[in-house]
């Protein structure tokens, strides 16, 4: 066991982000938002129901409608619509443990915010992007929006000094 512990200053296993997964209520609704927002269709879409999947996620006989969407920078967003009668929605309250958000860097936070709203996102603050006035991101402009399934999308415009 001691051999598996990383030496100080070294990463033991992770080399890159492969993908980010989101469980969704409707694959069609989720894909519609991402296609409008990013201007590109899904890279891949398929019904996932192979036996290995049940072993990985621990749901016998599972069947999932899945799709891959390429995010800016090349990270893959995996959308998963589980065909399970007992699935339920999580609360969209940002403070709840287990709640996550996806943050995308943008060049113009207001323009991206307006575009996201036009694509169906619901702004957390009707005022639009807010300027960060403290901490390591002073001068950045940031907004939270709720997209499909109450998932939070953060738009982050770096401070002017960081964009040079």
């Amino acid at each position: 066991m001691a051999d598996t512990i990383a030496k100080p200053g070294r990463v033991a296993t992770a080399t890159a982000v492969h993908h980010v997964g989101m469980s969704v209520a409707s694959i069609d609704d989720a894909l519609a938002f991402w296609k409008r927002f990013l201007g590109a269709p899904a890279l891949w879409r398929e019904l996932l129901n192979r036996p290995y999947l049940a072993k990985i996620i621990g749901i016998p006989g599972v069947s999932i409608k899945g799709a891959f969407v390429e995010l800016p920078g090349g990270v893959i967003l995996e959308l998963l619509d589980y065909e399970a009668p007992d699935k339920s929605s999580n609360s969209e309250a940002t403070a709840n443990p287990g709640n996550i958000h996806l943050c995308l860097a943008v060049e113009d936070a207001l323009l991206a915010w307006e575009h996201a709203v036009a694509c169906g996102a619901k702004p957390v603050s009707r005022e639009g992007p807010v300027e960060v006035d403290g901490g390591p991101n002073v001068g950045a402009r940031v907004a939270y929006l709720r997209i499909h399934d109450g998932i939070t999308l953060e738009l982050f415009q770096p401070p002017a000094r960081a964009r040079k």
Side-chain angles (χ1 to χ4, degrees), residues 69-157:
V69 174
E70 185 173 12
L71 297 173
V75 170
I76 299 298
L77 174 61
E78 180 182 43
L79 301 171
L80 301 167
D81 181 352
Y82 285 76
E83 294 183 333
D86 58 347
K87 66 182 178 182
S88 62
S89 297
N90 292 329
S91 166
E92 64 183 38
T94 306
N96 287 341
N99 185 289
I100 64 163
H101 68 272
L102 175 63
C103 181
L104 297 179
V106 298
E107 292 180 9
D108 183 325
L110 180 59
L111 185 64
W113 181 84
E114 290 170 343
H115 178 59
V117 170
C119 292
K122 295 178 199 123
V124 171
S125 170
R126 291 259 171 226
E127 300 167 15
V130 174
E131 185 165 327
V132 176
D133 65 4
N137 293 314
V138 170
R141 295 187 48 76
V142 180
Y144 266 23
L145 302 107
R146 303 281 190 237
I147 56 173
H148 54 84
D149 305 297
I151 293 168
T152 302
L153 173 63
E154 179 181 3
L155 302 174
F156 178 84
Q157 177 184 330

Side-chain angles (χ1 to χ4, degrees), residues 18-102:
H18 184 270
H19 70 271
V20 173
M22 288 182 182
S23 295
V24 300
S26 165
I27 196 79
D28 294 325
D29 291 349
L31 285 172
F33 172 79
W34 288 105
K35 182 176 181 182
R36 286 190 307 265
F37 186 70
L38 297 173
L43 295 173
W44 170 87
R45 182 176 178 169
E46 188 170 315
L47 182 64
L48 307 168
N49 58 5
R50 305 281 303 157
Y52 81 88
L53 190 58
K55 290 179 183 178
I56 292 171
I57 63 174
I59 301 175
V62 71
S63 186
I64 307 168
K65 296 174 190 168
F68 285 172
V69 174
E70 185 173 12
L71 297 173
V75 170
I76 299 298
L77 174 61
E78 180 182 43
L79 301 171
L80 301 167
D81 181 352
Y82 285 76
E83 294 183 333
D86 58 347
K87 66 182 178 182
S88 62
S89 297
N90 292 329
S91 166
E92 64 183 38
T94 306
N96 287 341
N99 185 289
I100 64 163
H101 68 272
L102 175 63

